[in-house]
Amino acid sequence: MVIMRPLAVLRHDLPASLVVFLVAVPLSLGIALASGAPVAAGLVAAVVGGIVAGALGGSALQVSGPAAGLTVVMAETIQTFGWVVTCAITVAAGACQILLGLSRIARAALAISPAIVHGMLAGIGVTIVLGQLHVILGGKAQSSALENIAELPGQIVAHHDSAAIVGLLTIGILLAWPKLPAAVRKVPGPLAAIAVATVVSVVAGMTLPRVELPGDLLNVHLVPQLPDGGWGAFALAVVTIALIASVESLLSAVAVDRMHTGPRANLDRELVGQGAANMLSGALGGLPVTGVIVRSSTNVAAGAKSRVSAVLHGVWVLLFVVLLAGLIQSIPLAALAGLLVHVGAKLVNPGHMKTVLAHGDLPVYLLTLAGVVVFDLLTGVLAGIALAVVLMLRRTVWSGIHVEREGDDWRVVVEGVLTFLSVPRLSKVLGGIPGGVTVRLELVVDYLDHAAFESLHTWQQAHERAGGTVEVDEVGHPWFGEGKAGRPTRSRVAASRAVPRWLAPWSEWQAVEGIPAQQTRRGATEFHRRAAPLLRDTLSGLADGQRPRTLFITCGDSRIVPNLITTSGPGDLFTIRNIGNLVPPGQADASMNASIEYAVGVLGVAEIVVCGHSSCGAMAALADGPPPGPLSAWLRHAEPSAHRLGSATLDGAVPDREGDRLALHNVLQQLEHLREYPSVAAAEPAGKLQLTAMYFHVGDAQVYLFDPAARTFRPAGAPVAVPGA
């Protein structure tokens, strides 16, 4: 590995660093221009960000430098404090980032809603576009976005000079570049656009404002200064820059991790590296440094394999500035403004808007965007956070309450979390129900607090005193019922687990006593309201015929639910149920004969399952001797089961009860009877049909399958040998 390392650098990291360098130079100049800082400050930040953050940071492939996300804040900070104090603010912000990294709370920044981050970036993009459009049109950017909007119409209709030509040429090249052949696109679009615009302006002899650099960039005389007063505003600026730079860097690092398969980023170390870079950048007169997704994604796409690429990119920027400063001074400011308009417009990403809209967070996005544009970045972000918290609370405590008529009766359904915040609306709905009627109250709630309980209980008592009836139906945990019994559950954690409504028998979820017909009617109504909408698409595909894979023969015992214990649904099982899950030998029963022939010959099932169960009444009667009558006549078909030799076991153990032992023998015997049926006898040897012995232990809710190799019934999930396989 030690020998191969230099080769790996030359092969992957060196060319990638050159590509990133070509992208970084024009962007660094443009961001410095948009921030109102000395143009050299963008290059200083690019050098320091590449070398220091690249070497010390926790993300191997992330590339750091001046970022568009801080332009608005930096412009306001420079205007308020001046450049030398702003550099001190950058140094202090870097120290804060180091402390944040050492405290290991970097991941807390990821709790910020993506809608806020995307809204913040979009607001920054809008602000950049509004300001730089004035520069493209030959004017000067105003101090605020609102002023830029107010002055823009006049700027558009005013006389346009060569600056507009250069700016629009730059934007046009950037828009057309992705559509050019791949060979041409190996040159980064920003570099090509700035180069072409610069050459055109020089060849045409245009008199334009151009980049100004100090005579000797290596001779830095700047010393950051602390302010004479206004320490509260100073501290606020430090915290603002530190937080924004940290969040942008961390989100960029997470995004870069999704682009490659190498080592994941250490976010705490990344903050320390970013903080060290900001302290040095501020001390040298540079802009704040952050992880930049544009440069980082370019780095990954160019094939970088390690942090060497980011460090080398910083070295190339330094050499370029020292050796080719005169070339930089030829770049028109209008060309950089065109580049910034393109970058700012891309920050307003329609894809992000669609995503936040789908998640219901568009109001957070729009409020953050508007706050950044109208006020400032910090105000916009704080407004977005506040609205996100409000929406989170609303969703957390939301209760769906609706009421409907059912003939002369009324039905009230409450869903979600029912707390004191929902009591006013709940009281209004319940107060609109006339007295003396029957009301069915369905509580499909995840939590019920004391205030909501009192409201429901008081209304129920009043309604019943007025001659009405209230039937309370609790889906899930009996919050209301336990409260009335003096055992209120104060925590979701303390709530006992309930059988899901769609699996439990009616007696588990319906407290209404009545004749079986009423229970069936209520159950059918429940299916119509809740289950039918979920199953409609599935059943519509089965409307013209059935295509089951399995013939399932089991007992008529009410405790056995075939689809439940096999996790199957409509169209999966062709089911035959009778007393004792019997298959009469010698085709003695016409109904069974017809069913098997239809399932195998017509439906073409690939499997037949015979399923017995514990505590089977038919097997107990067979063991004790059935009473004379129809049951005795039917159980004659099970007599061969009682005469089987050997022992049938569950996972090697013999059941204690004779009826359960007989039930195991009976399942195996019925498979032998099945093989006497012509269609089965033809299909099984041909490999078209498989016979499976199953046993369900009711008390343990455990399914067992027969393992022919081990000659025992083993728990479902354990390896089972298939005869002939």
Side-chain angles (χ1 to χ4, degrees), residues 192-209:
I194 295 298
V196 171
T198 300
V199 170
V200 169
S201 69
V202 172
V203 172
M206 298 179 179
T207 303
L208 293 169

Side-chain angles (χ1 to χ4, degrees), residues 145-165:
L146 293 180
E147 292 179 1
N148 282 323
I149 294 174
E151 297 291 333
L152 191 58
Q155 192 72 60
I156 292 175
V157 300
H159 173 70
H160 300 143
D161 54 15
S162 52
I165 297 175

Side-chain angles (χ1 to χ4, degrees), residues 327-531:
L327 182 60
I328 295 177
Q329 290 177 315
S330 301
I331 300 175
L333 296 183
L336 294 178
L339 173 62
L340 286 168
V341 167
H342 182 260
V343 171
K346 290 182 70 174
L347 290 177
V348 187
N349 191 326
H352 291 162
M353 295 183 66
K354 292 180 181 179
T355 300
V356 297
L357 175 63
H359 287 272
D361 288 334
L362 185 61
V364 175
Y365 177 93
L366 294 177
L367 180 61
T368 305
L369 187 156
V372 171
V373 172
V374 175
F375 300 102
D376 55 59
L377 191 141
L378 181 61
T379 302
V381 170
L382 291 178
I385 291 175
L387 181 58
V389 171
V390 170
L391 292 178
M392 180 271 294
L393 290 174
R394 179 182 177 275
R395 290 163 181 165
T396 301
V397 303
W398 173 86
S399 297
I401 304 172
H402 62 273
V403 60
E404 60 186 48
R405 293 285 299 272
E406 295 181 339
D408 295 331
D409 299 339
W410 291 68
R411 175 172 171 262
V412 179
V413 180
V414 183
E415 299 175 301
V417 177
L418 190 57
T419 67
F420 64 94
L421 296 174
S422 302
V423 167
R425 181 160 170 248
L426 177 65
S427 299
K428 179 181 178 181
V429 170
L430 296 178
I433 299 176
V437 300
T438 298
V439 179
R440 185 183 181 195
L441 178 62
E442 295 185 14
L443 297 178
V444 194
V445 296
D446 299 314
Y447 180 70
L448 179 73
D449 73 356
H450 185 205
F453 167 79
E454 286 290 347
S455 178
L456 285 173
H457 189 42
T458 302
W459 169 80
Q460 180 183 16
Q461 290 178 325
H463 188 78
E464 290 176 346
R465 283 196 299 267
T469 301
V470 178
E471 301 172 356
V472 180
D473 178 7
E474 294 188 84
V475 180
H477 179 76
W479 302 97
F480 187 67
E482 290 203 354
K484 291 178 66 177
R487 302 186 305 272
T489 302
R490 296 185 295 274
S491 168
R492 288 186 181 92
V493 177
S496 59
R497 297 177 59 186
V499 179
R501 175 120 172 195
W502 54 90
L503 299 181
W506 68 267
S507 56
E508 293 286 340
W509 52 262
Q510 183 172 289
V512 183
E513 294 186 5
I515 60 174
Q518 292 176 326
Q519 294 158 7
T520 301
R521 179 179 63 83
R522 292 185 184 279
T525 302
E526 178 79 6
F527 169 83
H528 175 73
R529 289 175 180 149
R530 300 189 183 279

Side-chain angles (χ1 to χ4, degrees), residues 62-82:
Q62 173 150 278
V63 181
S64 301
L70 277 168
T71 53
V72 176
V73 171
M74 292 309 299
E76 295 174 353
T77 305
I78 294 170
Q79 185 177 7
T80 303
F81 296 98

